Amino acid sequence: MGDLSEFSPDIVRFLKNYRWRKIDPVPWTPWRKPLSQSKLALVSSAGLVPENEPLFDETIKGGDFSFREISSGIQADKLIFSHTSNVFDSDGIKQDPNIVFPIDRVIEIKRSGWIGAVNHRHLSFMGSITAPGRLIANSAPDAAALFVEDGVDIVMLIPV
């Protein structure tokens, strides 16, 4: 867990004054079947984009609330890291995107039989969205609908 002393004065001031959203009650759905029979999808807020697809738009005030689909068959080194935050060191992520999008590890876990299936698509959002209203109202329901359509049982969220 980080400490505010690790950040610049400008970031500390932002964090102390930011109006954090509280979701109460937290939406929750209990597992309905064993992990070994479940289909899993990944959702990362690392701003990863497959090569040859549009990057997240840094000019949108409050943050780009869109998402990108990432195929299960993608090679992790074919993902572009486009996260705009400057409050953490991203060198490791650029060297191995599995840190924030563990597709290779998930495929290995599937082969071991721990999970039943890996969904054919996963999603990447941009982190550091300071105005999440559009994300909550538009993007999140659209993302959830895709996973319902795909028959996904479990979503692993990798926040960045």
Side-chain angles (χ1 to χ4, degrees):
M1 175 77 118
D3 185 273
L4 286 178
S5 66
E6 299 175 27
F7 299 107
S8 71
D10 288 340
I11 298 296
V12 170
R13 196 169 20 265
F14 170 80
L15 292 172
K16 285 185 174 182
N17 293 312
Y18 184 74
R19 290 181 21 210
W20 298 94
R21 288 184 181 248
K22 182 177 181 180
I23 299 172
D24 192 23
V26 174
W28 181 257
T29 301
W31 283 356
R32 294 197 169 94
K33 56 180 153 179
L35 201 53
S36 63
Q37 298 172 15
S38 298
K39 184 188 280 189
L40 180 134
L42 299 173
V43 172
S44 176
S45 64
L48 295 170
V49 178
E51 283 181 337
N52 304 318
E53 289 198 24
L55 298 178
F56 287 92
D57 186 348
E58 295 180 43
T59 66
I60 297 174
K61 188 172 174 86
D64 186 340
F65 56 94
S66 65
F67 60 84
R68 304 292 182 274
E69 289 187 28
I70 300 176
S71 168
S72 279
I74 197 161
Q75 295 174 342
D77 64 350
K78 300 296 183 196
L79 292 168
I80 298 168
F81 177 71
S82 68
H83 199 296
T84 58
S85 179
N86 60 359
V87 297
F88 62 89
D89 181 357
S90 61
D91 289 344
I93 296 167
K94 292 173 185 172
Q95 291 173 17
D96 183 5
N98 274 282
I99 293 171
V100 293
F101 187 75
I103 189 64
D104 294 338
R105 303 301 74 83
V106 167
I107 299 296
E108 290 169 4
I109 291 169
K110 160 61 178 105
R111 288 184 187 134
S112 75
W114 281 34
I115 57 175
V118 177
N119 197 39
H120 69 279
R121 68 175 144 203
H122 309 277
L123 302 179
S124 176
F125 289 84
M126 176 59 74
S128 299
I129 297 175
T130 58
R134 295 167 294 187
L135 172 78
I136 294 166
N138 302 316
S139 305
D142 290 346
L146 289 175
F147 289 150
V148 168
E149 175 185 316
D150 293 345
V152 170
D153 300 299
I154 298 172
V155 175
M156 178 187 292
L157 175 62
I158 305 101
V160 176

